[in-house]
Amino acid sequence: MKLILKEYLSSIRERDELDAILPDLLSQMGLDVFSAPSVGGRQYGVDVAAVGSIDGKEETVYLFSVKSKDLTRQVWNSGGTQDLQPSLDDIITTYIPTHLPTEHEGKPIEICLCYGGEIKENIRLSVTSYEKSKTTEKIKFTHWHGEKLSTLIERHFLREDLLPKEFRGLLRKSLALLDEPESSYKFFKELINLILIEKEKPEDDLKALRQLNICLWVLYSWSRNQNNIESSYLSSELAVLYAWDKAKKYRGDKKNISTSILTTMASIHQLHQKIAKELVEDKILSVSNSLHALSSGINSLNPVDVNLKLFDLLGRISLSGLWSFWHINTLPENKETETLVNEMRKDIQIYRKKIITIIAKNPMLFTPYKDDQAIDIALTSWFLSVTNRDVSDLGSWLFNIVDYTTQLFQTNGPYPSNLNNYHELINHPLSDGKDHLEKATQGSILYPFISMISAIHGFSDVYKGVQVIKSEFLGHSNFQIWYSSDATERDLYRNNNNHGLTLSDVPVDQAPDEYLQAIFKECEHFDFYKELSASYCWPIILTACRHYRVPMPIDFFYRFHKELNRIRDGKEMCEES
C-alpha cells in the first residue's frame, strides 16, 4: 500500500492536487488547520497552516509551502515568483511577523517544504545552506516529501484498524484493472460501500469520507498515468452521490466536526469536477471538430456501440458544463473569485459551441437507439437552455431527431426502443411484425420530453412531429413523464430501490400550452422536489440521473418555464409602456 501511495504522490502534476489532501491529513493527525488553500488572494508563501503536537512533542505552528513532484533546481529558484525559495522568504519576512494569528505568537515554528516526490541531489546543498542560514531558536525547517507523506497517509488513513485488508485489496484490484474500466469501477464501488457503512459517531463519518477522498485521488492518479480515466470518472460520480448521502444530515449544524465533514464532501465534489473536466476537454472535445471523428474514436464497427457511447458522451459534456454553471452562481462576486468565474464562463461557452459542433459532425446523434437516451438528451437540452437565450440549435437538433425517427419507423430501421439487452439491441428490429414493434416500444419517456421542451421553446414543427409519431406508429405506447416522490430523497443518491412517480398517457395530442398545463400541474400538487436535500446543489441530482439512468425530474423544466414566462411577461409590459 505504501508503494501505491508513493507512486500516487510522485505523479501529482499540480500543486493544488497536494493542497487538496494535506489539510485532511493534518486534521486526521490531530492538528488544528487554521489556514487552508483558497481561491485567489496572496498567502505570503503559506499554502497550509496548522498548529498542534505531533508524536507528543511540543505544540508547534506548522507552515507549509507546497510544490508538486520532485524538488528540483527549477522548482527551488529559477527566477519565478512561485518558486519555493521566494515563497520561504515571504514566510519569514512577511507572514510570520504580520499574519501569524496572535494566539500562536511565541510558539515554535516549523516551516515545512512539502512536495510529492524527492529532493534532487544537485539542489540539496543549496537548500540545506539556505535552511541553516535561516534557522533560529524559534524557526526551523523540515521536509514533507513523498516518503514521509505516504507513511503518514498510510498510518492515519489506511492502516489495518482503519482500512482493513479486505478494503485495501479492493483498491488494489480497482487499480490493477484500469484497462477494464467496468471491472475497475465494480471493485471501487464495493470499496465505497464498505468505507461508508453506517457509523454511530460523526468522527467516524469524517474519517470515512477522508479515506474515500484519498482512495479516489489514488485511483485518479493511477488512471491518469495509464491514460485511461474512465474508471475514475465513473467512480468519482458514485463517490459524489454516496458522500452527499453520508454528509447531508450535517447540513445546518454549526459544530466544527459537521463543518469538517461538509468540507471533505466538497473536496470529493471538486475532485469529480476535475476528473470530468479532464475527460471532457482532453479526451472528447479535442477530437470533436472533424466529421465523424468522435464516432470513429469510439473504435467499434458496431453502430449500436457508437450510438450508445455518443449519447453518453454528450450527457457527460453537458453535466460538466452544468456543474460550472451552478458553481458560478454560488460564488461571491469579488476580485478573489473573478478569475475563476471568468474561466468557468469561458468553459461553458466552449462546451456549448462544441456540443453543437459534435451534433452536427456526428449525425448518429439524430437517431437515439434507446428510449432512455432521453436522459442524455434532457441533460443537453437543459444545458443549452440555461446557458444562452438563443436555442435555435437545440430546436434544429430536436427537429432532426423527430424527422429521422419518423423515417426509421417508416422503413423499419433501428427506431428508439425499450430494449436493454445488448444482443436484442444489435438485432433490433427483428422483423416487420407489429408484435415486435409493440413489445419494443411499450412505453416512452423520450417523446413526452421532446414535446415538453418543444412546447416551452415554441418549436412548433418538432411538437407536431411527435404528434405524428404518436398517431401513426405508437398509438399503443404509454407516453410517460417522471416525477420525484416522497421516496426519492431516501433512494436517489444510492439507488437503493425504485422511487418516483409517473404520469401515464400524457396528452401530446393536445395543444402545447394545454400539454404543459397538464404535466406541470402535478408539480404544483406534489412538489417533492423541494424535499430533496440536494435541490440547492442540483447538479448532484443530475449526476444521480445520469449515473443510475433515472429520468431527469420534470421540476427543473417546470421552474424554468415559470421563469421564462416571467421574463417574457416583463418584456411585454416594457414594450407596452
Side-chain angles (χ1 to χ4, degrees), residues 294-295 298 306-315 317 354-369 373 376-377 380 397-398 400-402 404-405:
L294 195 57
S295 302
I298 294 170
V306 177
N307 185 276
L308 297 180
K309 197 60 182 178
L310 278 176
F311 278 95
D312 174 69
L313 295 178
L314 202 62
I317 301 168
K354 289 290 187 179
I355 284 173
I356 294 168
T357 299
I358 288 170
I359 293 171
K361 300 291 185 180
N362 297 272
M364 189 167 275
L365 287 167
F366 298 152
T367 57
Y369 282 9
Q373 286 171 318
D376 306 300
I377 294 172
T380 305
W397 178 39
L398 296 179
N400 280 316
I401 289 177
V402 171
Y404 276 65
T405 300

Side-chain angles (χ1 to χ4, degrees), residues 78-331:
S78 62
T81 57
Q82 298 299 316
D83 293 342
L84 185 53
Q85 184 179 336
S87 295
L88 299 181
D89 290 337
D90 278 348
I91 293 174
I92 294 170
T93 60
T94 305
Y95 186 89
I96 294 175
T98 64
H99 282 66
L100 190 67
T102 306
E103 62 268 27
H104 301 317
E105 291 179 0
K107 296 176 182 176
I109 295 175
E110 198 167 299
I111 298 177
C112 306
L113 289 66
C114 185
Y115 44 95
E118 59 185 22
I119 184 171
K120 294 300 183 181
E121 289 302 321
N122 63 355
I123 194 61
R124 187 183 295 275
L125 182 59
S126 297
V127 175
T128 302
S129 299
Y130 175 88
E131 290 171 348
K132 286 183 178 180
S133 69
K134 301 295 184 180
T135 298
T136 65
E137 290 185 5
K138 182 181 178 182
I139 300 173
K140 72 173 185 175
F141 296 83
T142 56
H143 287 243
W144 289 52
H145 42 64
E147 176 76 21
K148 180 171 183 174
L149 288 169
S150 60
T151 299
L152 292 171
I153 290 172
E154 185 177 33
R155 182 193 305 170
H156 293 282
F157 286 115
L158 308 179
R159 69 176 188 263
E160 187 72 28
D161 59 323
L162 296 178
L163 196 69
K165 186 176 181 180
E166 179 187 2
F167 292 33
R168 290 183 287 173
L170 289 171
L171 178 58
R172 292 191 188 98
K173 289 177 182 178
S174 185
L175 297 176
L177 293 170
L178 288 172
D179 287 337
E180 301 176 27
E182 289 185 6
S183 298
S184 175
Y185 163 76
K186 174 186 173 184
F187 285 117
F188 202 84
K189 181 178 181 180
E190 288 185 49
L191 177 62
I192 293 176
N193 274 295
L194 289 174
I195 289 177
L196 296 184
I197 59 174
E198 194 62 36
K199 306 281 182 28
E200 293 184 1
K201 299 179 180 178
E203 290 79 7
D204 293 331
D205 286 338
L206 176 59
K207 188 184 300 178
L209 287 170
R210 285 173 172 171
Q211 287 175 331
L212 175 57
N213 193 29
I214 289 290
C215 290
L216 187 58
W217 269 107
V218 172
L219 180 70
Y220 170 49
S221 174
W222 278 59
S223 299
R224 187 171 56 184
N225 288 345
Q226 293 195 23
N227 197 31
N228 187 345
I229 62 173
E230 176 68 7
S231 172
S232 59
Y233 176 83
L234 294 174
S235 299
S236 67
E237 272 193 332
L238 192 68
V240 164
L241 299 172
Y242 273 57
W244 178 267
D245 193 56
K246 174 64 68 176
K248 63 185 182 182
K249 61 186 176 184
Y250 297 102
R251 289 176 56 237
D253 192 339
K254 302 301 182 181
K255 295 178 182 177
N256 290 337
I257 186 71
S258 298
T259 301
S260 297
I261 288 171
L262 295 172
T263 300
T264 304
M265 177 199 67
S267 297
I268 293 172
H269 291 185
Q270 290 165 10
L271 176 53
H272 166 64
Q273 291 168 54
K274 179 180 180 66
I275 295 171
K277 182 179 174 66
E278 179 175 336
L279 177 72
V280 167
E281 296 182 2
D282 295 351
K283 307 297 182 184
I284 305 175
L285 301 188
S286 59
V287 293
S288 64
N289 288 330
S290 301
L291 184 65
H292 301 302
L294 195 57
S295 302
S296 301
I298 294 170
N299 196 26
S300 175
L301 297 176
N302 192 312
V304 172
D305 294 332
V306 177
N307 185 276
L308 297 180
K309 197 60 182 178
L310 278 176
F311 278 95
D312 174 69
L313 295 178
L314 202 62
R316 296 188 190 199
I317 301 168
S318 301
L319 185 53
S320 183
L322 286 166
W323 270 107
S324 295
F325 178 79
W326 171 82
H327 197 193
I328 287 174
N329 289 289
T330 65
L331 290 173

